[in-house]
Structures are given as C-alpha cells and as structure tokens.
Amino acid sequence: MNLHFTKKRPKIDFFTAKSRGFDTLFIKRSSKIYNRFSVKPDSMEGQDMKQTLKKCEDKGIEGEEKYCATSLESMVDFVTTKLGKKVKAISTEVNAKESTSLQKYEVELAKKRVGDKVVVCHKQIYPYAVFYCHETVATRAYTVSMVGVDGMKVNAVVELFPFAIS
C-alpha cells in the first residue's frame, strides 16, 4: 500500500463549542465563521473548514451514529454513551523522528481488536480541535503493524466496514 504518515502531531486545543463558535449551520452562517477565524473562504484553510462543517452537518451513512466533538468532555460522553465506562483508547503510532513522503508499506501483522462495538474518532481540519466520531454496527477495528520501504515502522489503527458495491 502507498501511504503517508506524519510524525509531528499538531497541538490539539479543545474548547467548548459555545466558547469558540463551532456551528454546523454552515450555509446560513459561513461568513461569520470565516470572519471569526480571519480565514478567506476560497483559501485552502477555508475549504478545509467548509469540508469539516459539511461532514458534521451531513446525515451520515445508514446505520451510523455520528457526533462532532469539540471538547474532550463531549468526546468522552459520546464514547461512553455508546460503549459504557470500560473502554480502551487506541491510536496510530509512528516510530520515526520525522514525517516521510508517500511510500509503500508492507503489513507485518494485523490483529482484530477484541469486542464488537467500536467508536472511531477522526481529527478534522479546523482552527481548533474537532473530532468526527462515529459508531456503526458493522465496523471492526484492527491494529496493523507495517514497515515502509525506508524502514519507518507504523502501528496503525484501521477500521473496516462492509459496503455493498453496485
């Protein structure tokens, strides 16, 4: 597989939605949101913001329960509502000093995570922390150990869910 992993993680600032103006009513309030963060709508950052807001506003796929978390507390609340209080958080780990370019990776080991219920949260591009969290009945989580052609090792978290292809 050709993949790109970054080593450096941007600082994640969690704020409450009310204090920072996260608003999924994008179409009606887009100019207010761009102005609040001094972002030009046609810029790359503006397009990323639009994509995040649209994703959080959209209905989602059938059978998916989704939530856009803008605070650590709201993320924990969503996850524990779906899974209960005994949860294990896992994330992708990159074993390198710096990011590398797109390269081929070979899977060394794949392991299914125990449990049939999974909630996955994906970091979105926005001026502050927004995570798109979702639970789908058919989703299965795996940890996958991979090594890149340059020797870079990655322990990735992968979610798989079946789709009907027509």
Side-chain angles (χ1 to χ4, degrees):
M1 290 183 259
N2 282 320
L3 301 169
H4 170 70
F5 292 97
T6 58
K7 176 60 181 169
K8 294 180 183 177
R9 291 186 181 175
K11 182 181 173 197
I12 297 174
D13 292 322
F14 274 110
F15 294 92
T16 63
K18 290 178 185 172
S19 71
R20 294 295 290 207
F22 185 80
D23 191 342
T24 60
L25 298 173
F26 178 76
I27 294 166
K28 292 182 180 177
R29 299 187 180 109
S30 60
S31 62
K32 269 179 141 177
I33 294 168
Y34 290 132
N35 289 338
R36 177 167 288 168
F37 296 109
S38 301
V39 172
K40 294 182 181 183
D42 293 334
S43 68
M44 182 71 97
E45 187 177 11
Q47 294 303 310
D48 289 340
M49 287 174 64
K50 181 178 180 178
Q51 180 80 14
T52 294
L53 291 164
K54 184 173 178 355
K55 183 181 272 190
C56 290
E57 189 177 82
D58 284 350
K59 188 176 180 178
I61 62 172
E62 187 177 332
E64 174 187 50
E65 289 194 50
K66 67 176 205 144
Y67 178 73
C68 283
T70 57
S71 71
L72 185 56
E73 293 82 5
S74 67
M75 181 190 291
V76 170
D77 287 347
F78 179 76
V79 171
T80 56
T81 298
K82 300 298 170 199
L83 302 177
K85 294 189 180 197
K86 285 190 163 190
V87 298
K88 181 174 183 177
I90 56 175
S91 65
T92 297
E93 298 172 8
V94 180
N95 299 318
K97 291 181 181 176
E98 294 182 17
S99 302
T100 61
S101 59
L102 184 69
Q103 64 176 308
K104 288 186 187 259
Y105 282 84
E106 183 177 311
V107 174
E108 294 181 319
L109 178 68
K111 181 179 176 184
K112 183 177 187 242
R113 301 307 303 174
V114 177
D116 289 333
K117 292 184 85 176
V118 175
V119 173
V120 181
C121 296
H122 306 274
K123 171 79 174 87
Q124 300 300 294
I125 300 172
Y126 206 72
Y128 61 91
V130 174
F131 283 82
Y132 177 85
C133 300
H134 62 111
E135 176 194 39
T136 56
V137 177
T139 299
R140 300 294 177 255
Y142 293 81
T143 51
V144 179
S145 299
M146 299 182 291
V147 64
V149 293
D150 70 351
M152 182 175 174
K153 293 188 180 237
V154 175
N155 293 317
V157 178
V158 178
E159 65 176 311
L160 298 174
F161 45 98
F163 281 108
I165 299 173
S166 51

